[in-house]
Amino acid sequence: TRAGIRGQAGTVFFDNDLSTQLNANKVTRTAIDRYTIVLMGGIAAEAISFEQAEGGASDESALVNFLIGLTPAWSQERVLNQARWAVTEAVLLL
């Protein structure tokens, strides 16, 4: 087995446009897509580097909380599809 880097990973993400849209309760699809790709990017990078992704639970939780917190709230199926799409896009970008 491969020895990974031990420690806490994370990403700080701030998008002024997304923040403004959230405050106005009018989030565009472009902003949602951009945010979800960044969120899933760590999982994608780990999968590429180590052929599996063990981390990312907090990223997945943040994604779910973000999408179900939108108005109207996203269904579980829609959240899963967005996560799959975003991780695929992240892999393609990496």
Side-chain angles (χ1 to χ4, degrees):
T1 64
R2 291 185 183 174
I5 298 173
R6 304 254 184 242
Q8 185 68 27
T11 301
V12 176
F13 179 81
F14 179 78
D15 182 333
N16 194 48
D17 290 336
L18 178 60
S19 180
T20 301
Q21 291 175 29
L22 285 168
N23 289 334
N25 203 26
K26 293 183 181 182
V27 183
T28 65
R29 183 60 195 228
T30 300
I32 292 168
D33 289 347
R34 182 174 50 236
Y35 180 68
T36 58
I37 291 169
V38 171
L39 260 178
M40 301 305 283
I43 294 170
E46 187 176 351
I48 290 169
S49 296
F50 302 109
E51 298 178 2
Q52 64 181 9
E54 294 178 5
S58 64
D59 293 332
E60 290 175 9
S61 178
L63 175 67
V64 170
N65 290 332
F66 171 70
L67 295 175
I68 65 172
L70 296 175
T71 304
W74 286 33
S75 68
Q76 182 178 2
E77 180 181 1
R78 192 170 179 196
V79 169
L80 289 173
N81 287 336
Q82 181 70 18
R84 289 182 190 114
W85 174 84
V87 78
T88 301
E89 290 295 308
V91 166
L92 292 172
L93 287 169
L94 293 170

